[in-house]
Amino acid sequence: MNTEQVRGALAAAGVAGVLSVDPFEGIAARVRFDPTSATGVFTAVRDKLGFVHLSTVGGIDWVERYEVFYLLWSDPAKSYLLLSADLDAKNPHIETASFVWPSANWHEREAWELVGIGFDHHPDLRHLLMPDGYQFHPLQRAFKLHEPEELEVKVRHV
Amino acid sequence: MSEMWINMGPQHPMTHGLWNLRVHIDGERILDVDPEMGYLHRGIEKISEDRHYNEVITLMDRTCYVAGMAWEHLYVQAAEQALGVQPPERADWIRMMSDEFQRLASHIMWYAAFVQDLGLMSPFLYGMRDRDLILDLFQSYTGGRLTYEYMRVGGVRNDLPEGFTGRARQVLDWMEPRLVEYDRLCMGSDIFRRRCDDLGVLKADECVRLGVTGPMLRSAGSKRDIRKDRPYSRYAQVEFDVATADSADVTGRYLVRMEEMRQSIRIVRQALDWLDSHPGPVLADRLPRWLGAPYAPIGREAYLLKRNYPKGVGLSAVEEPHGEACAYVVNEGGEHPYRVKFRSPVFANLSAAKSYLVGYHVADIPPIMGSVDVCVGEVDR
């Protein structure tokens, strides 16, 4: 699958909220979309374009904005697709993809705790790698590697 | 009264690492599970943002400590795409050969640990003995047995030593009959079959839904293998078959890994033949200075490489011994990557734990988790 095919398929499906479809070396395309119409884009990409496997969800802190990206794979097309959306720096949040791709569950938990991106209506947004009650988001640029953190860990009650 | 939550881990022979499986049980029956990760979280993605491109390779060995080569390969491919560097052909073949030796070593390690969980002690010792031969080979050309730091952005650190291909063939000749022996020990045993058949079943459509990849997915009949579907390195130039099974249970995963070992031997033999007849450089010579070029570029070129190194994004995917691993490297023109994101196959395979554990008995957890092949280093990163 190439960029033109992705563009054509998205146009044919009439998906609202797609901002741009750009070429990306080695994969089908990079699709930028509007975070307010996330669920519509996810569903269309899965059902109309056939990207049923979600590889990962990640976030990037660009200081003036946040970016969240989804890496998808389609078996018939034998190619990857990258979805990305720019989020507001003040309160970065986007609708969860866990109901479209259940595998997004843990990836979103990780992106939430490490990058600080909120996933609305996530079924289980708990800490995954960091201890419960951890106050920081280590993958944000403001989190400096060489400064000691003041850490208060709440005891987990089982 | 009989319903309760119990902890299996963080110290438990089943875990093969440091993590905690919380299990909700009713008597012996599993009602719910909740894997608790993070005991081995070292913040590799964060540390990478503070290191030169080649220094990240050191961390990659620690990401999965039984499949270091595969992770190095994953990262250097993504970094090369982000930086616009092309490795020489010979380096690519050496990388592919290392990958397959690593797959062999990793699967033997899995075999040893898995059968020990089932109570078979001798195969564990056989496995560890045979794996050491591969580690000896790694030591002869990288200097390391587990953490190699061998690959570089733009190639590999050094060429193979003299007589390496001959020694490697000797190891393969030794290994092939051993695999038959392994198989006889397990598949020839009625007890093994009764223990593993129809256990931990996860069908192919469920695997795709939950992001499960690698031998777990292929044991359900899917032919998805990145080496075939999206050939990287030199995989398009070698012949091999994708191992599959159709039972989707613990036995199926066992059969897939066993067949993968045989296919790895096949790939390594072809790579050794190619390496014998094609000498050449193993490290690209046009590299930015901080990537450790063999000689520093001079004049205007050096200035350009230092000042205006082009920005870029790199994305790579490899078929790691556990499944699909992806790396995403963002190069913003500096000496350090701006952001590095890794996709670990075991992370996704573990997140689906509920669907292949619920309904079975507590005593079934060790064989099922053994067949998943957990490596905590790459889950927590």
Side-chain angles (χ1 to χ4, degrees):
Chain A
M1 213 175 206
N2 59 34
T3 313
E4 283 310 310
Q5 285 167 324
V6 172
R7 198 173 283 149
L10 281 172
V15 189
V18 175
L19 300 178
S20 70
V21 183
D22 309 312
F24 191 102
E25 191 190 333
I27 67 170
R30 178 189 195 122
V31 178
R32 286 180 196 279
F33 65 97
D34 179 6
T36 51
S37 49
T39 311
V41 173
F42 295 154
T43 318
V45 165
R46 184 193 63 179
D47 297 338
K48 303 277 170 45
L49 274 71
F51 286 88
V52 292
H53 172 85
L54 175 93
S55 284
T56 194
V57 179
I60 304 177
D61 178 5
W62 292 104
V63 184
E64 74 277 10
R65 65 190 160 87
Y66 281 85
E67 181 186 337
V68 60
F69 60 87
Y70 302 78
L71 185 63
L72 309 162
W73 169 264
S74 158
D75 249 350
K78 298 255 184 280
S79 61
Y80 282 105
L81 181 76
L82 198 66
L83 293 182
S84 71
D86 287 343
L87 308 174
D88 183 37
K90 285 270 165 51
N91 177 23
H93 68 102
I94 188 168
E95 193 64 32
T96 178
S98 323
F99 297 106
V100 183
W101 295 285
S103 54
N105 191 326
W106 274 32
H107 293 296
E108 289 184 345
R109 277 171 76 181
E110 191 196 323
W112 164 71
E113 71 172 353
L114 296 183
V115 193
I117 294 170
F119 291 93
D120 305 340
H121 306 113
H122 189 284
D124 185 27
L125 205 56
R126 289 177 294 138
H127 278 285
L128 181 66
L129 301 176
M130 293 303 189
D132 282 357
Y134 189 74
Q135 303 285 327
F136 306 91
H137 301 293
L139 283 174
Q140 290 181 351
R141 301 308 286 189
F143 187 97
K144 297 288 179 229
L145 258 181
H146 304 291
E147 286 170 14
E149 52 184 297
E150 284 178 20
L151 172 65
E152 185 193 338
V153 179
K154 287 178 191 157
V155 178
R156 181 178 295 200
H157 296 287
V158 175
Chain B
M1 179 58 206
S2 57
E3 277 187 36
M4 61 174 132
W5 280 94
I6 58 166
N7 289 304
M8 290 182 88
Q11 302 286 345
H12 189 280
M14 171 276 298
T15 55
H16 298 299
L18 208 55
W19 61 290
N20 184 14
L21 182 68
R22 297 182 61 223
V23 195
H24 188 197
I25 52 168
D26 179 4
E28 281 291 310
R29 184 76 54 183
I30 305 167
L31 301 177
D32 196 3
V33 296
D34 177 25
E36 211 171 66
M37 313 308 301
Y39 291 93
L40 209 56
H41 181 63
R42 293 147 292 174
I44 281 181
E45 288 174 13
K46 183 70 182 178
I47 304 171
S48 305
E49 292 172 9
D50 198 47
R51 293 192 162 211
H52 288 189
Y53 282 92
N54 271 336
E55 288 173 344
V56 178
I57 294 164
T58 313
L59 299 171
M60 288 298 92
D61 291 313
R62 277 87 182 159
T63 309
C64 182
Y65 30 75
V66 289
M69 282 293 187
W71 279 87
E72 285 183 21
H73 198 171
L74 171 77
Y75 167 74
V76 294
Q77 274 187 4
E80 276 161 6
Q81 190 183 341
L83 294 162
V85 175
Q86 195 68 37
E89 196 179 3
R90 187 175 165 83
D92 241 1
W93 280 88
I94 296 178
R95 283 179 189 178
M96 184 179 73
M97 182 205 68
S98 310
D99 262 20
E100 292 306 317
F101 264 131
Q102 187 70 79
R103 190 182 316 277
L104 203 50
S106 171
H107 279 5
I108 291 175
M109 183 69 221
W110 158 81
Y111 171 83
F114 168 64
V115 292
Q116 201 202 14
D117 281 355
L118 294 173
L120 300 165
M121 196 63 200
S122 333
F124 172 76
L125 297 172
Y126 295 171
M128 297 309 270
R129 174 195 65 190
D130 299 342
R131 175 168 168 267
D132 246 36
L133 297 174
I134 299 173
L135 299 189
D136 284 344
L137 284 180
F138 279 139
Q139 191 178 9
S140 74
Y141 71 98
T142 69
R145 294 174 74 80
L146 279 179
T147 49
Y148 315 105
E149 288 124 43
Y150 177 60
M151 295 185 192
R152 290 288 181 272
V153 178
V156 294
R157 167 157 44 90
N158 53 272
D159 208 338
L160 301 172
E162 206 160 310
F164 174 81
T165 50
R167 284 201 303 279
R169 283 199 188 87
Q170 273 179 356
V171 170
L172 296 181
D173 290 343
W174 159 267
M175 207 58 89
E176 265 177 340
R178 294 289 85 74
L179 294 182
V180 179
E181 190 184 26
Y182 290 177
D183 220 22
R184 267 215 313 269
L185 276 165
C186 289
M187 292 312 276
S189 156
D190 198 31
I191 300 171
F192 179 88
R193 296 299 301 270
R194 282 197 208 172
R195 190 83 184 84
C196 298
D197 281 0
D198 301 321
L199 200 63
V201 175
L202 193 65
K203 296 287 181 204
D205 52 341
E206 276 289 286
C207 286
V208 173
R209 218 171 61 81
L210 297 164
V212 173
T213 51
M216 282 187 80
L217 174 60
R218 287 192 287 275
S219 76
S222 170
K223 277 189 98 67
R224 185 171 174 219
D225 188 324
I226 298 173
R227 293 175 292 169
K228 279 275 189 222
D229 294 345
R230 187 177 180 269
Y232 54 95
S233 198
R234 300 286 154 181
Y235 278 107
Q237 284 162 256
V238 291
E239 282 179 17
F240 67 100
D241 300 321
V242 177
T244 57
D246 43 19
S247 53
D249 58 0
V250 174
T251 318
R253 289 164 209 153
Y254 166 88
L255 290 172
V256 166
R257 289 205 177 90
M258 277 297 168
E259 181 57 28
E260 273 184 12
M261 284 197 240
R262 288 187 275 273
Q263 297 299 331
S264 290
I265 292 180
R266 209 171 139 195
I267 297 172
V268 172
R269 282 195 193 282
Q270 295 172 54
L272 290 175
D273 289 343
W274 191 93
L275 289 168
D276 262 346
S277 52
H278 295 77
V282 291
L283 194 62
D285 46 9
R286 296 226 163 179
L287 293 170
R289 187 173 299 190
W290 63 83
L291 285 181
Y295 55 88
I298 45 162
R300 183 174 160 68
E301 193 186 349
Y303 179 78
L304 282 176
L305 285 176
K306 201 161 164 54
R307 296 287 161 190
N308 292 326
Y309 208 72
K311 297 181 182 181
V313 184
L315 196 155
S316 80
V318 305
E319 189 68 31
E320 203 236 352
H322 310 94
E324 171 205 32
C326 304
Y328 187 77
V329 175
V330 181
N331 158 30
E332 274 295 290
E335 298 184 6
H336 314 292
Y338 187 81
R339 172 85 165 94
V340 183
K341 163 79 187 159
F342 297 107
R343 191 260 187 203
S344 145
V346 186
F347 183 86
N349 293 2
L350 261 186
S351 72
K354 205 175 275 186
S355 21
Y356 52 77
L357 282 175
V358 170
Y360 295 98
H361 292 109
V362 175
D364 294 336
I365 294 177
I368 296 177
M369 293 319 297
S371 75
V372 175
D373 193 7
V374 178
C375 175
V376 185
E378 63 174 80
V379 179
D380 292 352
R381 277 157 289 147

